[in-house]
Amino acid sequence: MEIKKLEAEERQNTRALYEEVFSEDSKSFVDYYYEEKVKDNQIYTVEEDGGIRAMLHLNPYELVVNGSKKEVNYIVAVATQESYRKRGYMAALLKQSLHDMYLAGETFTFLMPASESIYLPFDFRTVWEQERPYYDQEDAVENGIVVTDGTQDDAEDMASYMGRKLAETKQVYAFRDAAYYKRLIKEYASDGGRLKVYRKDGQIVDIKIAAETEEVDGGKPKIMIRVIDVRRMLMSLRLKTFMGTCFEVTDPLIEENNRCLMITGTEFSGLMLMDGKPENSEGIIPVAVLGEFVFGKITAEELMERPDVTMSERMKEELDKIIPLSEIYLNETV
């Protein structure tokens, strides 16, 4: 088995596999995807018997994390041709792409799973369920509010409105500029949907989606994350007050994350770290549960109770001074 990272001119060669595996997607949506998203993404493939039998796409997003912009990849279109499944192709593609993202200096990656159980063995954990605001034409609209279909000409105003709103309420979200909304308008249009813009006195006061609601696993679409670089992830955090502790991280897939870290900082400096000495370690945390803790899915108390975690009482008290990234807004589809 050989994994290949495709050159730009080769990426269109994966379309046949995409259409075969994701047959529920409309032709117009696939047209959009291969015209827009494939222009700047990365695609890893496994070729066998003269054809592409498995693939994984990394779609780039600029995320805002605690006010700082980070280049992050959204893993999508993970697919294996049916007759070539159960040969370890998906696992190999995931491991290679995770390692490459580490070498590229990325902090974490995210995906929307068809089933969470597929990605748990690779240390992905669910941190958020998407909350997409859907337009209902029967909604009572306040006097003075005008609702129109969003157009390319509205993109700048839409980005300005959502940028302010997200900065006020969220810690982790996709940076939205005019280009983001121009592409998003095309994305929804490709499947017969629209973005609805609510204005009052000429100013945007809301944006909703006019499309069929999406369900995955019988509920809201879930977002799973995987820490790529433990040091970069920890340094993205803020603190309630002065803290300091030393612990070891274990990662079965990204060897470079297996290290002992000394973390310290204040509410003013943010979190700082340096390499620690194992003899000074107060505990051991696997990378998967560290991700759950960092993104606010479990508390320091719950972290301590996990069977695969060891830590001192003092370490638990110090970790409790970290402000988790619990306010998330990742509503992206592809």
Side-chain angles (χ1 to χ4, degrees), residues 4-73:
K4 182 179 181 181
K5 183 178 177 181
L6 300 185
E7 299 295 335
E9 62 273 14
E10 298 176 301
R11 294 175 197 153
Q12 292 291 330
N13 297 339
T14 63
R15 177 162 179 158
L17 179 59
Y18 187 106
E19 291 177 323
E20 179 180 342
V21 176
F22 304 110
S23 57
E24 70 277 9
D25 287 353
S26 66
K27 179 183 181 300
S28 58
F29 177 82
V30 179
D31 287 343
Y32 158 80
Y33 185 85
Y34 273 86
E35 288 168 7
E36 290 288 335
K37 303 298 287 191
V38 170
K39 285 191 293 192
D40 56 5
N41 76 351
Q42 301 173 63
I43 302 180
Y44 292 76
T45 62
V46 173
E47 296 187 17
E48 197 78 48
D49 302 327
I52 295 173
R53 307 305 176 185
M55 66 179 177
L56 176 152
H57 297 211
L58 299 182
N59 289 351
Y61 276 88
E62 188 171 45
L63 300 190
V64 178
V65 180
N66 268 343
S68 296
K69 292 179 182 177
K70 295 185 181 295
E71 299 297 327
V72 175
N73 276 308

Side-chain angles (χ1 to χ4, degrees), residues 162-184:
M162 279 301 293
R164 290 193 304 271
K165 181 178 178 179
L166 293 173
E168 290 171 359
T169 59
K170 303 299 178 182
Q171 295 164 288
V172 181
Y173 57 92
F175 174 71
R176 293 162 187 244
D177 57 8
Y180 176 98
Y181 273 102
K182 287 179 179 180
R183 177 178 271 185
L184 192 61

Side-chain angles (χ1 to χ4, degrees), residues 87-140:
R87 300 188 186 188
Y89 291 170
M90 188 198 78
L93 289 168
L94 276 169
K95 290 174 183 177
Q96 183 65 57
S97 60
L98 290 173
H99 187 255
D100 287 354
M101 283 188 274
Y102 178 89
L103 294 178
E106 296 183 29
T107 303
F108 66 95
T109 187
F110 67 107
L111 55 78
M112 182 196 299
S115 173
E116 293 170 278
S117 61
I118 295 172
Y119 297 97
L120 292 175
F122 302 96
D123 300 310
F124 286 83
R125 293 295 183 268
T126 299
V127 299
W128 193 60
E129 292 187 356
Q130 291 190 343
E131 300 172 353
R132 296 181 181 171
Y134 285 100
Y135 168 73
D136 183 344
Q137 63 181 354
E138 296 181 359
D139 282 348

Side-chain angles (χ1 to χ4, degrees), residues 46-317:
V46 173
E47 296 187 17
E48 197 78 48
D49 302 327
I52 295 173
R53 307 305 176 185
M55 66 179 177
L56 176 152
H57 297 211
L58 299 182
N59 289 351
Y61 276 88
E62 188 171 45
L63 300 190
V64 178
V65 180
N66 268 343
S68 296
K69 292 179 182 177
K70 295 185 181 295
E71 299 297 327
V72 175
N73 276 308
Y74 185 17
I75 299 176
V76 303
V78 182
T80 303
Q81 194 171 19
E82 187 172 4
S83 59
Y84 287 82
R85 291 173 187 169
K86 300 188 184 302
R87 300 188 186 188
Y89 291 170
M90 188 198 78
L93 289 168
L94 276 169
K95 290 174 183 177
Q96 183 65 57
S97 60
L98 290 173
H99 187 255
D100 287 354
M101 283 188 274
Y102 178 89
L103 294 178
E106 296 183 29
T107 303
F108 66 95
T109 187
F110 67 107
L111 55 78
M112 182 196 299
S115 173
E116 293 170 278
S117 61
I118 295 172
Y119 297 97
L120 292 175
F122 302 96
D123 300 310
F124 286 83
R125 293 295 183 268
T126 299
V127 299
W128 193 60
E129 292 187 356
Q130 291 190 343
E131 300 172 353
R132 296 181 181 171
Y134 285 100
Y135 168 73
D136 183 344
Q137 63 181 354
E138 296 181 359
D139 282 348
V141 177
E142 179 184 340
N143 288 338
I145 290 184
V146 177
V147 182
T148 60
D149 289 346
T151 69
Q152 298 290 312
D153 291 338
D154 296 317
E156 191 73 52
D157 289 342
M158 294 165 78
S160 181
Y161 163 75
M162 279 301 293
R164 290 193 304 271
K165 181 178 178 179
L166 293 173
E168 290 171 359
T169 59
K170 303 299 178 182
Q171 295 164 288
V172 181
Y173 57 92
F175 174 71
R176 293 162 187 244
D177 57 8
Y180 176 98
Y181 273 102
K182 287 179 179 180
R183 177 178 271 185
L184 192 61
I185 289 168
K186 290 181 182 179
E187 184 175 316
Y188 279 112
S190 72
D191 240 1
R194 302 175 307 285
L195 288 179
K196 289 288 190 177
V197 179
Y198 291 60
R199 281 189 173 86
K200 185 171 185 178
D201 298 327
Q203 301 298 311
I204 295 179
V205 294
D206 206 353
I207 301 171
K208 293 188 178 183
I209 303 163
E212 292 186 11
T213 58
E214 180 178 3
E215 292 190 353
V216 177
D217 274 349
K220 291 191 244 182
K222 295 176 174 61
I223 293 296
M224 302 182 83
I225 63 95
R226 210 279 186 190
V227 174
I228 296 295
D229 188 322
V230 167
R231 293 170 301 177
R232 292 178 186 271
M233 190 76 257
L234 291 171
M235 290 179 67
S236 302
L237 302 175
R238 293 176 179 169
L239 303 172
K240 301 172 186 175
T241 186
F242 172 78
M243 65 87 68
T245 187
C246 180
F247 61 92
E248 296 170 77
V249 176
T250 60
D251 188 333
L253 299 181
I254 302 176
E255 179 62 31
E256 295 87 344
N257 280 332
N258 290 283
R259 56 178 66 241
C260 184
L261 297 170
M262 170 71 75
I263 65 173
T264 186
T266 71
E267 64 269 38
F268 307 108
S269 68
L271 194 146
M272 300 177 289
L273 60 83
M274 63 188 75
D275 287 332
K277 297 180 180 179
E279 58 265 29
N280 295 329
S281 174
E282 295 187 78
I284 302 174
I285 306 177
V287 71
V289 289
L290 181 64
E292 289 183 277
F293 172 69
V294 163
F295 284 88
K297 294 306 292 182
I298 57 175
T299 65
E301 181 76 37
E302 292 167 330
L303 178 65
M304 188 177 188
E305 294 172 357
R306 290 295 179 91
D308 48 357
V309 171
T310 60
M311 70 167 69
S312 67
E313 183 68 27
R314 198 199 79 84
M315 178 179 163
K316 182 202 76 174
E317 293 172 356

